[in-house]
């Protein structure tokens, strides 16, 4: 769908706002769309704080039930500092998930996608994949320069 690239592009612009504050996490942006209208948006703002998807749900101006979420990176599936984002996506009854790039971390890769598909969510992969991967490339470079201290 041609609109997919449009909304993914907006999610990428949001992701970049995280800048170096999310180090050593990747920059991630999320946009929630219902009937062609953006009803929520969020990005990963700071390491250790809420992920992009959670911030997007929090910002919703109407119920996200039946909506589409665009996220630059595959929603996380492991219990880290935050509960896994794929659970929030299922809980919020999103109808469709559009993912830019897959997580290079083997703890994450594919697991959330499988769970969301099982829950009946339509999952589309690799929309603007190169641009979304580039967000992670910036993260890898900066994290090499400044190794995490905690
Ligand atoms: Zn997450």
């Amino acid at each position: 769908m041609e609109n997919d690239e449009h909304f993914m592009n907006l999610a990428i612009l949001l992701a970049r706002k995280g800048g170096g504050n999310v180090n050593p996490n990747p920059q991630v942006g999320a946009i929630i769309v219902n009937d062609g209208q953006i009803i929520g948006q969020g990005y990963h703002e700071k390491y250790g704080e809420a992920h992009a998807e959670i911030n997007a749900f929090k910002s919703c101006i109407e119920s996200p039930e039946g909506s589409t979420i665009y996220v630059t990176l595959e929603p996380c599936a492991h219990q880290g500092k935050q509960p896994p984002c794929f659970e929030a996506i299922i809980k919020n009854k999103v109808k469709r998930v559009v993912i830019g790039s897959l997580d290079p971390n083997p703890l994450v890769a594919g697991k959330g996608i499988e769970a969301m598909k099982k829950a009946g969510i339509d999952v589309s992969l690799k929309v603007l994949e190169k641009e979304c991967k580039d967000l992670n490339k910036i993260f890898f470079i900066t994290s090499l320069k400044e190794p995490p201290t905690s």
Side-chain angles (χ1 to χ4, degrees):
M1 277 181 254
E2 62 182 49
N3 275 348
D4 282 356
E5 294 199 353
H6 169 70
F7 290 120
M8 187 59 77
N9 206 24
L10 294 177
I12 290 168
L13 293 176
L14 268 175
R16 291 204 182 113
K17 288 186 166 187
N21 293 334
V22 300
N23 184 22
N25 283 348
Q27 298 172 1
V28 184
I31 301 262
I32 300 173
V33 176
N34 203 2
D35 287 333
Q37 300 293 319
I38 294 173
I39 61 163
Q41 60 179 39
Y43 63 99
H44 186 37
E45 297 174 17
K46 199 165 186 282
Y47 177 68
E49 293 182 4
H51 287 177
E53 298 93 323
I54 305 304
N55 286 332
F57 283 123
K58 271 191 213 152
S59 80
C60 276
I61 54 170
E62 58 180 67
S63 165
E65 189 172 341
S67 63
T68 298
I69 184 167
Y70 294 84
V71 57
T72 57
L73 180 69
E74 170 181 356
C76 65
H78 63 292
Q79 191 81 34
K81 284 177 177 289
Q82 305 289 340
C85 290
F86 83 88
E87 283 182 0
I89 288 173
I90 292 171
K91 210 172 68 190
N92 280 287
K93 300 193 169 79
V94 169
K95 195 170 90 186
R96 182 167 177 250
V97 179
V98 182
I99 295 167
S101 60
L102 297 179
D103 200 306
N105 180 345
L107 281 176
V108 177
K111 290 183 186 166
I113 292 172
E114 280 312 305
M116 291 188 293
K117 280 183 179 168
K118 266 191 196 148
I121 296 172
D122 176 12
V123 181
S124 302
L125 299 175
K126 300 183 179 179
V127 172
L128 298 185
E129 185 186 21
K130 189 192 169 297
E131 291 84 346
C132 288
K133 269 190 173 170
D134 281 348
L135 291 168
N136 293 333
K137 197 159 69 186
I138 295 165
F139 139 70
F140 284 127
I141 292 166
T142 56
S143 63
L144 278 177
K145 276 186 204 154
E146 297 170 60
T149 52
S150 57

